[in-house]
Amino acid sequence: MPIALGGWLHPSSGYKRGQMHSMGPDSLEMRIRPLPLAVLQQVLGGPPWLRRPLPKVGSPREAPVARMSTQSTHPPKPEAPRLPPGIPSGQRRHTLPASEFRCLTPEDAVSAFEIEREAFISVLGVCPLYLDEIRHFLTLCPELSLGWFEEGCLVAFIIGSLWDKERLMQESLTMHKPGGHIAHLHVLAVHCAFRQQGRGPILLWRYLHHLGSQPAVHRAVLMCEDALVPFYERFGFHAVGPCAITVSSLTFTELHCSLQGHPFLRRNSGC
């Protein structure tokens, strides 16, 4: 059956090269019939809702060129990660966790002291713990410490030890009493590049939760300057009076926090 579509003739028309000039308008119009739907889809490509509207016969514009749809119902596959130069493609890279909380070890002592020295000496002129004392506590009671690591680097930490008296004394600065039921928090420090980001409160909440998981620890105690008392009161600590410990000319307030029924046991913040 002869078919004309925008200047194209279907092969079944029997038209031969050189015969168009001998066909008049009347004879050409008689040989034109509409295309079946299946043929239109085959010529234009794709289902009916993707094809463009057909121009009227005799329109001077060219017929739209059939295009194949480049869309896919399947999402594109992610590109394979590019390894840095020097790492063979078949070798698996060792990646450190972006953020990690864990107890400190004696190998972390130097990093902890660098953070502590920058945080305290510039303000108070002294450190709560010096390098040998940090190593001492991380060797005797690493389970009473907690560090926050980013990409394997220490950015904040707490170091504590056990105490067996009702109140802190001067000797509690350097001693660990294995039979005690009181966790003495010696120091909480955050790296200068990670301050003002809420890391101190998050670390303290996690540390108290960590202590609460140890049945032998019933209470947490610490000493701080008067200006910091409201900060620790937010975490369940309460002041019990002036601390018997003095460092140089500095005086402190002693605060206690019971770990039995502490708010962190009911807190659901994801910290």
Side-chain angles (χ1 to χ4, degrees), residues 113 115-130:
F113 179 63
I115 296 174
E116 182 191 15
R117 182 172 60 178
E118 187 279 330
F120 287 93
I121 289 186
S122 60
V123 179
L124 301 177
V126 294
C127 280
L129 297 175
Y130 285 90

Side-chain angles (χ1 to χ4, degrees), residues 120-227:
F120 287 93
I121 289 186
S122 60
V123 179
L124 301 177
V126 294
C127 280
L129 297 175
Y130 285 90
L131 182 57
D132 291 342
E133 296 166 335
I134 292 176
R135 286 198 179 107
H136 172 71
F137 286 123
L138 295 184
T139 300
L140 293 179
C141 49
E143 71 281 359
L144 296 176
S145 66
L146 186 65
W148 189 341
F149 293 81
E150 294 285 354
E151 301 291 344
C153 296
L154 183 65
V155 300
F157 69 93
I158 296 176
I159 295 177
S161 64
L162 287 180
W163 184 242
D164 58 355
K165 302 289 193 301
E166 182 65 23
R167 298 289 297 269
L168 294 176
M169 303 171 59
Q170 199 74 27
E171 61 181 357
S172 62
L173 292 178
T174 57
M175 295 191 66
H176 167 63
K177 299 286 189 177
H181 299 286
I182 299 173
H184 174 203
L185 282 64
H186 292 275
V187 57
L188 185 163
V190 180
H191 192 284
C192 58
F194 294 87
R195 292 173 193 157
Q196 305 301 321
Q197 300 177 13
R199 292 179 182 266
I202 293 175
L203 181 63
L204 184 54
W205 273 112
R206 283 184 172 267
Y207 184 75
L208 293 175
H209 188 277
H210 174 65
L211 292 180
S213 66
Q214 303 182 39
V217 182
H218 301 162
R219 186 196 309 169
V221 302
L222 59 84
M223 63 181 194
C224 68
E225 295 179 283
D226 293 342

Side-chain angles (χ1 to χ4, degrees), residues 237-265:
F237 286 87
H238 64 277
V240 295
C243 185
I245 299 173
T246 59
V247 179
S248 185
S249 60
L250 300 174
T251 58
F252 305 95
T253 298
E254 184 172 334
L255 295 94
H256 291 189
C257 175
S258 174
L259 298 178
Q260 299 177 354
H262 190 274
F264 72 79
L265 294 174

Side-chain angles (χ1 to χ4, degrees), residues 13-20:
S13 63
Y15 165 73
K16 297 181 180 180
R17 188 186 300 272
Q19 291 183 351
M20 181 62 76

Side-chain angles (χ1 to χ4, degrees), residues 42-47 50 65-71:
Q42 181 178 4
V43 173
L44 295 179
L50 292 180
V65 179
R67 297 180 180 178
M68 296 183 63
S69 174
T70 58
Q71 296 181 352

Side-chain angles (χ1 to χ4, degrees), residues 98-117:
S99 186
E100 178 189 19
F101 293 87
R102 65 168 174 82
C103 295
L104 300 179
T105 67
E107 288 73 21
D108 300 312
V110 173
S111 298
F113 179 63
E114 290 299 324
I115 296 174
E116 182 191 15
R117 182 172 60 178

